Amino acid sequence: MNPNKMIASRSLRRFAAALTAAAMAASAMQVTAADFPLHTEAKSLTASVIRYAPTEEPAAPAATTAKPAATTAKSAATTAKPAATTAKPAATTAKPAATTAKPAATTAKPAATTAKPAVTTAKPAATTAKTTTTAANTTVTPKSTVTVTTQAPAPVVTTTTAPSIHTDEDTGAVYEIRDGKAYITKWTSKEADVVIPEKLGGYTVAGFDSSAFSSSSYYIKTIKFPSGVKEIPNYLLRYCYYLEEVTLPDGITTIGDSAFNNCYRMTSINIPKSCTKIGNSAFASCSALTSITIPSGLTVIPDSAFSNSGITELVIPDTVTEIGSSAFS
């Protein structure tokens, strides 16, 4: 076969195949023969060329013919797109429904707003209560003032707190009145023989301050205590170097610590049966004291009670249960 004719035949076949595909696509898209003017010419060209074609080559158009099927599928897919597009308006149509629901929520808010005034109304009630309380407090204040005015004079009373101080002209004793009794604070007399009176200024003498005889300790030789005295305080006659004799009344219960310490000229003293307590070193260093009677009411002889004394004879009653360190050494 002539090569030129073969080339022309192939070209024609390719052109015919393209036309056939276009025709099938047009048919799928509903295109008429009037719209495609080359259709008739394609047939005539195909008919004139067929007798020169080899026997094997007519199979090629079959493969080519399959292509329009794919194209047709594409067209089908393309045709399906509008359907999807059509569905979108449906979704769009649903949105207004949601929009319509919002006003309902908006409508509920005024209801909550309406409840607030009710709370506001309750506040004036609380304010009213406060006002009432204030008025009540104002009423109480004058009553409190009246009470204070009534009690104000009380601190002025001093008769029970401040003791009165007196001096006895006969004895030179300085004393105070405490709870209706006289207590000697200072003995100014320089007499050697001292007798304490039962009363001073009409008050019973009941006791002494510890330093009452400190300014007259060098003058006293004998001393006699009144019956109203119940206790000889600590250090009362300590260092009364010239004291020789002491007379204690019945009713004395206590002789304090060092009450007669260093009265080294004292030769005798009577301790009444009423005495139940003797203090530490009460008669220490009374070197001239050679005898003494321990009362039966005493239970303890304390430390150094008669240390460095001149006692040579002593009777201790059965009531004594304890003797302290260096009591007689």
Side-chain angles (χ1 to χ4, degrees), residues 23 90 107 143 163 191 194 204 250 259 267:
T107 305
K143 292 182 179 179
E191 296 292 332
V194 176
T204 300
D250 292 336
T267 58

Side-chain angles (χ1 to χ4, degrees), residues 191-205:
E191 296 292 332
D193 296 320
V194 176
V195 177
I196 309 299
E198 292 287 336
K199 291 186 178 183
L200 290 172
Y203 297 94
T204 300
V205 176

Side-chain angles (χ1 to χ4, degrees), residues 225-247:
F225 291 92
S227 60
V229 175
K230 306 300 179 184
E231 179 180 353
I232 305 299
N234 297 341
Y235 316 114
L236 181 63
L237 294 168
R238 182 177 58 170
Y239 303 132
C240 287
Y241 299 124
Y242 299 99
L243 179 64
E244 297 177 358
E245 184 178 341
V246 178
T247 302

